[in-house]
């Protein structure tokens, strides 16, 4: 018998797989996304961040190769280095103005092909 429990697939009381979610909604009240929080979460296609988030850690979304777009709320005042490194499917992002310069794009790991929405 298969059972899904906290994204673990369990068969006969044995964990046989980990199911990574395609969409994550971070609940209101969360104030930060930790370093490498979603590192290599290859199934992740979208994530919803609440306005309560103010800080995104280093590499938080690195290697999320299926992530296609994300909106970073204006409440975010700090984004760590290489946060979006190797997000090869990322085509558009909404960012607070302070992160839109070429130097900031490079620092947070955004390729020049990623469209920044106003």
């Amino acid at each position: 018998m298969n059972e899904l429990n906290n994204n673990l697939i369990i068969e006969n009381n044995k964990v046989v797989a980990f199911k990574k979610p395609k969409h994550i909604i971070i609940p209101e009240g969360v104030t930060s996304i930790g370093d490498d929080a979603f590192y290599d979460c290859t199934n992740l296609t979208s994530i919803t961040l609440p306005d309560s988030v103010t800080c995104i850690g280093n590499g938080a979304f690195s290697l999320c190769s299926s992530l296609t777009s994300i909106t970073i709320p204006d409440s975010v005042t700090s984004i760590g280095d290489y946060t979006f490194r190797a997000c090869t499917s990322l085509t558009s992002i909404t960012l607070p103005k302070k992160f839109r310069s070429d130097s900031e794009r490079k620092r947070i790991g955004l390729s020049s092909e990623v469209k920044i929405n106003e």
Side-chain angles (χ1 to χ4, degrees):
M1 177 177 176
N2 290 347
E3 179 181 281
L4 183 61
N5 183 357
N6 292 327
N7 291 319
L8 297 175
I9 299 173
I10 301 170
E11 291 180 358
N12 299 321
N13 296 322
K14 179 181 176 183
V15 174
V16 295
F18 177 76
K19 182 178 178 180
K20 294 181 179 180
K22 289 187 175 197
H23 178 71
I24 295 173
I25 299 172
I26 304 296
E28 187 65 43
V30 171
T31 58
S32 65
I33 306 298
D35 291 350
D36 301 320
F38 297 99
Y39 179 86
D40 200 24
C41 192
T42 56
N43 286 356
L44 185 64
T45 60
S46 64
I47 186 163
T48 301
L49 300 175
D51 288 336
S52 58
V53 172
T54 59
C55 177
I56 299 174
N58 295 325
F61 302 106
S62 286
L63 299 173
C64 290
S65 57
S66 297
L67 186 65
T68 58
S69 67
I70 186 169
T71 297
I72 306 298
D74 286 335
S75 58
V76 172
T77 58
S78 174
I79 297 177
D81 295 342
Y82 306 110
T83 296
F84 300 102
R85 180 178 60 88
C87 291
T88 54
S89 296
L90 190 62
T91 57
S92 68
I93 188 168
T94 302
L95 282 171
K97 287 183 181 179
K98 73 181 275 180
F99 302 109
R100 294 181 190 168
S101 70
D102 287 343
S103 62
E104 280 295 296
R105 285 175 64 113
K106 288 178 185 175
R107 185 185 66 76
I108 65 176
L110 288 176
S111 73
S112 59
E113 291 82 32
V114 176
K115 178 186 175 206
I116 295 182
N117 302 319
E118 297 295 321

